[in-house]
Amino acid sequence: MTIIYIHGVNVRSPEHGVELQKPFLRWLGAKVSEPNAAQYEPVYWGDLASDFRWKLASRPRTALLGQGGTAGFESLGQLREAGTGAFEPAPAVDDGPVLGGPAVAGGASVTPPLSSVPTDKRADFLADFYLAVRTRARRSQQPAGYVDPIADEPRAAGLAAAAADVAARWDAIVAQEQSEDARAQALLAAVDNELAGDALVGMGGWSDWTEWAGEVLRRAAALPGDALSTVAAELRPTINAFVANFVGDVFSYLDRREQGGQPGEIPRRVLAALKRAHQRKQQTGEKIVVLTHSMGGQLLYDAVTYFARQDPALAGLEIDHWFSCGSQVSLFAELGLFKGQPDLRAPDQLSRPAAVRGWTNYYDGNDLFGFVMAPVFKGVVDRDYSTGYGLAFAHTGYLARPSFFQELATRL
């Protein structure tokens, strides 16, 4: 099997795709008879995306308040959105449960033990907890601007696999520590070591940034609801930096996707990965699976419906399954932005690309940049996947969670 990954907006390092090989091969590689035979093709185009000449100095520094979704999240996710200031004293809890713990009489606030996290939720919890603490610590040093470790820390792309590895050792790790804060820090240190090996990177090593672990955990406990379902943060980060990067990357692609009647550099990179996978399939019969995130979906759609049809080397191309997440393919189609797009409107629908045998699209109701496909395209299945995050963070949340990669494997 060949797995092709095409990233979305705001990615500026090829290492992002390289690190994602770990969760892809961990979960999807198991679907082939010989896991080592799985081939992985990350397509990087971030170096050709938007370049702001004044480094987004035009962006106002006002905060957007009240973002996020409704109750019913499945993780610590919203703690990634903790604000730039110091935490205020935690409000009392009048009812529960929180982190699976009981309500506390008289409104007293306690932190339920980590042992209350269900075993089957530990991997997702660790991924969410890591991102929450990492984001909170970075905000203490970078008060302004958009912080998203999944997008701008390449090594964090391997978080799902790292969290799953540490979840398997959870009991042994926490058994060595005497306090809840120490247990929380030890778990985060183990995840960080999985991501970075023995190298202490980031903000002076794990002992510095993981000191926020206990504070974040107590903040979760101080709010009503299950921290594996409804954790809210008291302040929200600015989102307009994310929007600016998103719009900038879209405009850059549209402006450069074709040059002199030939594919531009970004489509050429997608076509090159497809050619390698197509050649392997012709030689060995290996299936082709593509996962696109965000803008990556538009790149694949243009490639298979327009550019590939003009390339003899891709004659007979057949993608066995396309997984899209946080995608805007249907939005682009609604605006008629694809090359060679048929002039159709509702109630008619566009067909699934002829080169794609199956298409599953994942969206999160809290992801403002993720759209459903079925109203616009025939032959696609939309699946609601809750990342547990709100607004901008929901957009990259899919790739951080072990359960998402397990879902992909299940669908295959």
Side-chain angles (χ1 to χ4, degrees), residues 92 105 125 134 144 214 229 242 259 266 269 281 318 379 392 406 408:
F125 175 91
R134 188 77 176 174
S229 62
F242 174 83
Q259 298 172 346
I266 294 177
R269 293 184 185 182
K281 187 170 187 177
E318 186 178 75
Q406 180 60 59
L408 300 182

Side-chain angles (χ1 to χ4, degrees), residues 322-336:
W322 173 15
F323 293 109
S324 55
C325 62
S327 180
Q328 307 89 40
V329 174
S330 55
L331 176 64
F332 267 51
E334 293 231 42
L335 296 171

Side-chain angles (χ1 to χ4, degrees), residues 250 253-254 257 295 297-299 301-302 305 322 327-346 348-353 359 371-378 380:
V250 169
Y253 170 69
L254 293 177
R257 66 177 165 183
M295 184 69 190
Q298 288 85 281
L299 272 58
Y301 189 89
D302 259 343
T305 63
W322 173 15
S327 180
Q328 307 89 40
V329 174
S330 55
L331 176 64
F332 267 51
E334 293 231 42
L335 296 171
L337 292 176
F338 288 115
K339 297 292 294 183
Q341 178 179 329
D343 187 19
L344 296 178
R345 291 178 177 270
D348 294 326
Q349 291 176 290
L350 292 168
S351 297
R352 183 182 66 223
W359 182 6
F371 291 78
V372 295
M373 302 294 135
V376 177
F377 294 97
K378 301 174 185 175
V380 58

